[in-house]
Amino acid sequence: MQKPHPLVAGNWKMNGVTASHAELEALSTLLKTDSPAECEVLICPPATLIASSSNMGLSAIKIGAQDCHSEVSGAHTGDISAVMLKDAGADYVIVGHSERRADHDESSDLINAKTKAVHNAGLRAIVCVGETDAERVAGDTSTVVLGQLLVSLPDSCTSENTVIGYEPVWAIGTGKTPTVEDVADIHTEIRTALTERFGEDGAMFRIIYGGSVKPSNAKELMAALNVDGALVGGASLKATDFNGIIAAYRA
Ligand code: PEP
């Protein structure tokens, strides 16, 4: 049976200035000199670095954005549309990251509209879902995650244009991770929800795990059932650390 091609994505968040291009250059060198990795590699720098990073022409590294507006253009001061991100050289856009959901009060309905905008621009969306610690402790992980998922995904989603990022909020930037069994369980529930909604194509969506992934735990997390890659925050800022995570996909 065909399996999804893994994706290892780095989210630089609000980190990075022109000098950070050196990390991209270093990552590109590591990807060329190390043994081949069976995964796609993506870096989502801050919006200010998308065009310049994409213009570096590093063929082994795709460039993405961390958010977009749901409309194509208009009177939305400070916002950036998916069309503009495509024009700047982005291939992917992260939508619904828990920091956007929390800091900017983004609802799953808004994320649905943003995901549609990403698809309409001809880009791929990484749609993030995940429970808080309180929700986990209350035993509500499945309800929260599947609820966010079904509302956040528009009908335009296919395995080609959409990746699901499962990121338990309590694991982001904390050094804590769920057990491999817990990751496999929720990824499998997400897989089932995708096949119920999108039929056979649901089996081919990439479902990537995020939350304190580092070189030392990547291999076991990436080996869990229905885990098709990683979404990495802190450890994506240093080329050597990120390359150590990519190593999970080396023979
Ligand atoms: C993230 O914010 O997407 C993330 C997974 O962060 P970290 O890897 O730093 O936990």
Side-chain angles (χ1 to χ4, degrees), residues 9-11 13 94 97-99 128 166-169 171-177 209-214 230-236 245:
N11 171 11
K13 309 191 183 188
I94 298 171
H97 190 282
S98 61
E99 286 153 15
C128 297
Y166 167 63
E167 299 204 298
V169 179
I172 293 179
T174 58
K176 292 186 216 159
T177 56
Y209 168 78
S212 296
V213 180
K214 358 177 230 249
L231 182 49
V232 184
S236 69
I245 291 170

Side-chain angles (χ1 to χ4, degrees), residues 148-232:
Q148 287 177 347
L149 186 77
L150 291 179
V151 178
S152 302
L153 298 184
D155 290 338
S156 54
C157 290
T158 68
S159 60
E160 267 300 303
N161 67 17
T162 306
V163 174
I164 310 303
Y166 167 63
E167 299 204 298
V169 179
W170 53 273
I172 293 179
T174 58
K176 292 186 216 159
T177 56
T179 64
V180 173
E181 292 70 32
D182 284 348
V183 172
D185 284 351
I186 189 73
H187 276 237
T188 301
E189 287 187 63
I190 293 172
R191 174 74 66 213
T192 304
L194 291 172
T195 49
E196 280 172 8
R197 171 104 181 256
F198 299 103
E200 267 182 29
D201 191 38
M204 291 305 292
F205 280 61
R206 289 170 294 179
I207 309 171
I208 63 177
Y209 168 78
S212 296
V213 180
K214 358 177 230 249
S216 57
N217 62 15
K219 204 167 177 100
E220 66 165 355
L221 286 166
M222 298 305 102
L225 187 65
N226 283 310
V227 173
D228 310 304
L231 182 49
V232 184

Side-chain angles (χ1 to χ4, degrees), residues 22-110:
E23 288 302 324
L24 285 178
E25 198 72 63
L27 179 61
S28 168
T29 303
L30 288 167
L31 292 174
K32 274 189 214 141
T33 51
D34 233 325
S35 51
E38 290 300 319
C39 63
E40 194 178 352
V41 174
L42 170 71
I43 291 286
C44 301
T48 47
L49 295 182
I50 291 173
S52 53
S53 300
S54 133
N55 286 337
M56 289 170 77
L58 306 174
S59 57
I61 306 171
K62 295 217 167 71
I63 299 298
Q66 301 171 13
D67 179 47
C68 68
H69 196 274
S70 59
E71 290 176 27
V72 170
S73 62
H76 302 290
T77 303
D79 280 317
I80 304 177
S81 76
V83 171
M84 293 165 172
L85 294 169
K86 181 173 189 184
D87 183 56
D91 283 317
Y92 283 83
V93 186
I94 298 171
V95 289
H97 190 282
S98 61
E99 286 153 15
R100 300 283 322 170
R101 289 181 188 261
D103 299 355
H104 300 269
D105 216 13
E106 294 195 359
S107 66
S108 291
D109 284 320
L110 177 64

